[in-house]
Amino acid sequence: MPMMRWNCAGPEFFKTLGIPIRQGRDFRDSDSATSAKVAIVNEMFVKRFLKGREVLGHLVSYSSKVTFTIVGVVADSKYRGVREDPIPMAYFPYTQVAEIGDMHVELRTAGDPAAFLPEARKAVASLAPDLALLQPMTQRAQFAASTTQDVLVSRLAQFFSALAILLVASGLYGTLAYSVSRRTSEFGVRMAIGCERPQLLWMVLREGLILSVVGIVIGVPAAFAFSKYLGSQLYGLAPHDPLTFGLAVVGVLLVCLVAGLVPAVRAASTDPMRALRYE
């Protein structure tokens, strides 16, 4: 079981779930209990157990009693969760396997799946009147249930990211605002001797950007060093993804630029005469 999984399926199972058939054929209604035993495997099964061999027509067995002939190869797919790595998988017709404890009916609809539920109940009842239809569930709901913990971690990360942005912006704004209020006379002198307002605006913004660059120079290597310990919390993203780090740096610079804009505009709008009489 650690090496592979197996499942029972019926005709058009792969078409219903959108799993492409790479080689061979799908299961058919003619694959009955009395016909030749057949099986379908996924690409990972072929890579691990049948590499370099002719796949179609190869004989496989999940027990020593029954042998199945491979008639098709399908694409790899997630089986238990979105985080799992591809694992060798074999599918057998449900009509040719005796040890079936329960079955799942997969239904593809064009529209609201819940609207088709009464018809699905009738169809299952026509096949087996003594069986109850348990836990009807859409694939979207099943996906959401399997990612509940990941969504919670993601939302917590978003919350703390927003809190960090707020702390960065408020801290930088407070620092620059205090600096600007203490340098009113300096700004008046600068403007009195010919300093233009855009130059004064850039001077204050540059101080904020210098502080942000210092933080980036310290923070990026630290984040790069510790990101490998967060690899298990990431899905579809490498711990040292350069695009993510690049966007984070650009985001910090934009936040610092916006936070320093208000004090910079205040400094650039200083009246030289009032500033010179400030003290």
Side-chain angles (χ1 to χ4, degrees):
M1 292 305 295
M3 297 176 64
M4 63 163 286
R5 293 193 182 107
W6 65 276
N7 195 7
C8 298
E12 296 193 359
F13 169 80
F14 304 105
K15 179 181 178 181
T16 302
L17 293 184
I19 304 175
I21 298 178
R22 302 300 192 195
Q23 297 182 49
R25 65 172 178 87
D26 196 350
F27 292 132
R28 300 169 180 166
D29 291 329
S30 58
D31 296 324
S32 62
T34 58
S35 64
K37 308 295 184 183
V38 297
I40 295 176
V41 297
N42 67 349
E43 293 175 310
M44 181 57 66
F45 186 101
V46 175
K47 292 177 183 178
R48 183 167 298 180
F49 302 123
L50 300 175
K51 190 173 183 179
R53 301 184 185 182
E54 181 62 34
V55 179
L56 301 182
H58 197 91
L59 301 179
V60 295
S61 176
Y62 69 91
S63 69
S64 59
K65 300 178 181 179
V66 185
T67 301
F68 295 79
T69 302
I70 297 178
V71 295
V73 178
V74 296
D76 297 331
S77 60
K78 304 295 184 181
Y79 191 73
R80 294 186 181 275
V82 296
R83 286 184 174 275
E84 71 175 8
D85 296 325
I87 188 172
M89 186 81 190
Y91 302 87
F92 305 98
Y94 72 93
T95 54
Q96 298 181 352
V97 176
E99 303 87 355
I100 297 180
D102 56 2
M103 295 186 68
H104 299 265
V105 178
E106 304 287 348
L107 176 66
R108 178 178 290 273
T109 67
D112 182 14
F116 291 87
L117 191 56
E119 294 299 324
R121 291 183 184 277
K122 293 179 182 179
V124 173
S126 66
L127 295 174
D130 58 334
L131 294 183
L133 187 60
L134 302 178
Q135 297 179 339
M137 194 178 202
T138 64
Q139 285 284 352
R140 186 180 299 276
Q142 188 174 19
F143 177 83
S146 67
T147 58
T148 301
Q149 183 175 356
D150 300 284
V151 171
L152 177 61
V153 173
S154 175
R155 289 177 178 173
L156 286 174
Q158 292 174 15
F159 170 77
F160 285 113
S161 298
L163 182 61
I165 291 174
L166 180 62
L167 291 175
V168 168
S170 60
L172 184 62
Y173 169 80
T175 301
L176 291 180
Y178 178 75
S179 175
V180 167
S181 66
R182 297 284 292 178
R183 298 165 63 189
T184 304
S185 299
E186 175 192 342
F187 297 146
V189 172
R190 288 180 179 273
M191 297 185 70
I193 62 177
C195 181
E196 299 291 338
R197 295 185 185 275
Q199 294 176 319
L200 201 60
L201 179 71
W202 169 242
M203 184 183 72
V204 178
L205 283 178
R206 184 177 57 191
E207 294 178 3
L209 290 176
I210 290 175
L211 290 175
S212 64
V213 169
V214 171
I216 290 171
V217 170
I218 297 174
V220 169
F224 193 85
F226 286 98
S227 60
K228 62 180 180 181
Y229 299 107
L230 300 176
S232 61
Q233 302 296 324
L234 302 176
Y235 176 71
L237 185 68
H240 298 153
D241 182 57
L243 179 61
T244 301
F245 277 85
L247 291 176
V249 170
V250 172
V252 170
L253 289 175
L254 288 176
V255 169
C256 293
L257 187 64
V258 172
L261 190 60
V262 174
V265 170
R266 187 182 302 166
S269 59
T270 302
D271 183 356
M273 297 304 297
R274 292 183 61 186
L276 291 175
R277 295 196 301 267
Y278 182 72
E279 294 183 354

